[in-house]
C-alpha cells in the first residue's frame, strides 16, 4: 500500500509531460502593400489552421496585387475566419478585376 501514491504521482507526471498541448489560435494580419504576417491573403489562408483568423487592414486587395491565379482570388479554408480589421464595410475592397471569383468557400 505504501507504493500506490508514488505510482499515481508518476502517472500524473507522465500524463502532464506527454499530453499533447492544445494549439492556440493565431491571428494573421495582412496589409494591402504585402507587409504583415503573410504577403497575400491566400498565403495566410494556406498557412492558417482551424480556429485562426486572417485579418485584413483597410485598403484595396486586387487580383494582381494578390498574385492570384486559377479561378479564385481567395480560397477559404474550413474553420478559418476572414475579416476586416475595422468594422466598416467600405474599409476593405476585394477586387478580382473581372478575372475570376473573389472568394471560394469549400466545406
Amino acid at each position: 500500500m505504501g507504493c500506490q501514491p508514488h505510482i499515481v504521482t508518476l502517472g500524473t507526471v507522465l500524463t502532464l509531460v506527454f499530453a499533447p498541448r492544445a494549439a492556440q489560435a493565431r491571428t494573421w494580419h495582412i496589409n494591402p502593400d504585402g507587409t504583415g504576417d503573410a504577403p497575400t491573403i491566400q498565403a495566410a489562408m494556406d498557412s492558417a489552421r482551424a480556429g485562426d483568423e486572417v485579418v485584413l487592414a483597410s485598403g484595396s486587395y486586387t487580383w494582381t496585387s494578390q498574385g492570384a491565379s486559377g479561378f479564385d482570388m481567395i480560397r477559404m479554408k474550413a474553420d478559418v475566419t476572414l475579416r476586416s480589421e475595422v468594422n466598416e464595410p467600405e474599409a476593405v475592397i476585394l477586387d478580382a478585376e473581372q478575372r475570376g471569383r473573389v472568394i471560394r468557400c469549400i466545406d
Side-chain angles (χ1 to χ4, degrees):
M1 276 207 179
C3 294
Q4 287 180 348
H6 297 292
I7 293 170
V8 173
T9 303
L10 179 60
T12 303
V13 171
L14 289 175
T15 301
L16 294 174
V17 171
F18 295 108
R21 296 177 187 224
Q24 293 189 2
R26 178 175 176 182
T27 301
W28 297 80
H29 293 277
I30 309 301
N31 298 312
D33 65 0
T35 62
D37 296 325
T40 65
I41 300 168
Q42 191 61 54
M45 268 303 151
D46 292 343
S47 298
R49 296 182 188 189
D52 287 359
E53 283 188 320
V54 176
V55 178
L56 306 181
S58 297
S60 183
Y61 299 81
T62 65
W63 185 280
T64 304
S65 72
Q66 294 297 296
S69 62
F71 299 105
D72 315 302
M73 185 169 138
I74 303 165
R75 288 171 303 287
M76 294 293 296
K77 189 183 267 188
D79 299 321
V80 174
T81 301
L82 176 65
R83 68 175 180 86
S84 169
E85 186 174 58
V86 296
N87 194 15
E88 299 174 22
E90 66 279 354
V92 174
I93 298 169
L94 301 175
D95 181 3
E97 301 172 321
Q98 299 181 351
R99 297 184 185 190
R101 185 177 308 144
V102 175
I103 297 176
R104 181 174 187 173
C105 300
I106 302 173
D107 297 331

